Amino acid sequence: MTGTAQTDRVFLFLQGPHGPFFDALAKMMRTAGATVWRVGFNAGDRAFWRDAASYIPYRGAPEDWPDEIGRLLDARGITDIVLYGDTRPAHAEAVRAARARGLTVHVFEEGYMRPYWVTYERGGSNGNSRLMEMSVPEMQSALALSDMEAPLPPAHWGDMRQHVFYGALYHWFVMFWNRGYRNFRPHRALPVTKEFQLYLRRLLLMPVHAIDRRLSTRRVRTGGFPYHLALLQLEHDSAFQVHSPFSTMTEFLAQVIEGFASGAPRHHHLVIKAHPLEDGRVPVRAETRRLARQYGLQGRVHYVRGGKLAQLLNDARSAVTVNSTAGQQVLWRGIPIKVFGDAVYAKPEFVSGQPLADFFARAARPDNRAYKDYRRFLLETSQVPGGFYSRRGRRQLLRQVVDMMLAREDPYDALKSGTAAPRQHLRAVT
């Protein structure tokens, strides 16, 4: 890795993933010689930040934040801002202020090929990512400078339980220790108390939900019928709310089920696959049953709780989604997919442009060679091995991402110029 600047960089961290990842990242940044500050908006932010001297509490009203972030960037001599997701209001304002000053914006997100990688980009992620403007031929040209093979996913890697645990703990702090942040308003519409209850309920019911999921999956896999998958997302997730044409998951379900009823052969079935973190705040299962009755599809529409997708994908004929990152797993297997929202993988080479009824009747297959090049490009640039929530995942992530953040070039330009750091092979860390 060349072109790093370690002693003249001043990083401002905003909100990160639930848990200790941002704190561990900041510690390593300081070791590398950078100055680090952190703005916290509530007691949950403070609880996971150990260095009190670098912590800046924001106690003002949300409407005062745009002026405050500008003053903060100038007063502290900030050169870089670091955040998790770029669409929540406080982060969007910070990105605007940083761009106006020519600062570097580091954005973390859940991996585009999760759960084995996380996403690190500069400037924006998901619908704001540079990938949205890149063509597959551009990516293939950049790959000509590398002779590495794309790494395979590990045999076992997961931190779902830790993810749910840290989410519950974060909201517990906001519920019971937030007296110093009386002006705090969550970026989601649901009250913090309800968020905590949903996290806690999901954590307690994990064993019951696992049994229900296994039974539902078995019924589909042993049913002997051809089936198509509808991959759901969290209705409150920014990728759904900001980068899709729908405002509710019910709107998406209605369009999918109507299209299936119009175009799919009568012996085909539709499997509605819930997001792994679906927590019941939206009555997805009830809406699925109602819509199945409305379109005369009783017995042909199946609901499966979250969990791993691989077993259902193995025999699926096609898949539809708004813009779920699970679409990458579909394409990896060469299965036809239709996407309704903005997605970094929605390239014409491998995403269907057919009307929905025609897609269910006779889906066009993706260009699998083009997708393999696309996938390899991501794994050599913005997809970093590791995870935010488990101790092992954080260790793996920190081995690589600090150098990527300190590099002068972003991951995409680094591959083109030949300065990208060598990638670790995931099979070596399982």
Side-chain angles (χ1 to χ4, degrees), residues 182-197:
R182 298 189 185 278
N183 290 314
F184 170 70
R185 286 182 227 152
H187 64 280
R188 293 172 180 161
L190 213 60
V192 173
T193 52
K194 186 63 175 176
E195 287 271 6
F196 171 74
Q197 291 169 6

Side-chain angles (χ1 to χ4, degrees), residues 253-263 270 291 295 297 356-357 360:
L253 278 171
Q255 189 163 332
V256 169
I257 291 175
E258 180 184 16
F260 181 81
S262 300
L270 178 65
L291 289 164
Y295 289 98
L297 296 173
L356 188 56
F360 280 125

Side-chain angles (χ1 to χ4, degrees), residues 100-117:
R101 292 161 173 78
L103 310 183
T104 302
V105 179
H106 305 265
V107 183
F108 284 91
E109 258 291 3
E110 303 292 344
Y112 293 147
M113 287 175 285
R114 67 185 72 168
Y116 313 116
W117 296 272

Side-chain angles (χ1 to χ4, degrees), residues 134-147:
M134 288 187 203
S135 68
V136 173
E138 285 181 81
M139 298 176 187
Q140 290 168 331
S141 176
L143 286 171
L145 300 170
S146 171
D147 59 359

Side-chain angles (χ1 to χ4, degrees), residues 73-87:
L73 294 175
D74 296 336
R76 305 279 178 169
I78 303 300
T79 61
D80 303 69
I81 66 170
V82 187
L83 41 86
Y84 173 70
D86 60 347
T87 58

Side-chain angles (χ1 to χ4, degrees), residues 1 17 45 64 69-70 161 166 185 208 229 269 281 313 335 352-354 393-394 403:
M1 174 80 61
D45 294 339
D64 298 329
I69 182 60
R161 188 175 296 275
Y166 281 126
R185 286 182 227 152
V208 176
L229 284 172
H269 289 226
R281 72 183 67 191
L313 276 177
I335 298 171
S352 175
Q354 298 167 276
R394 290 193 297 273
D403 285 342

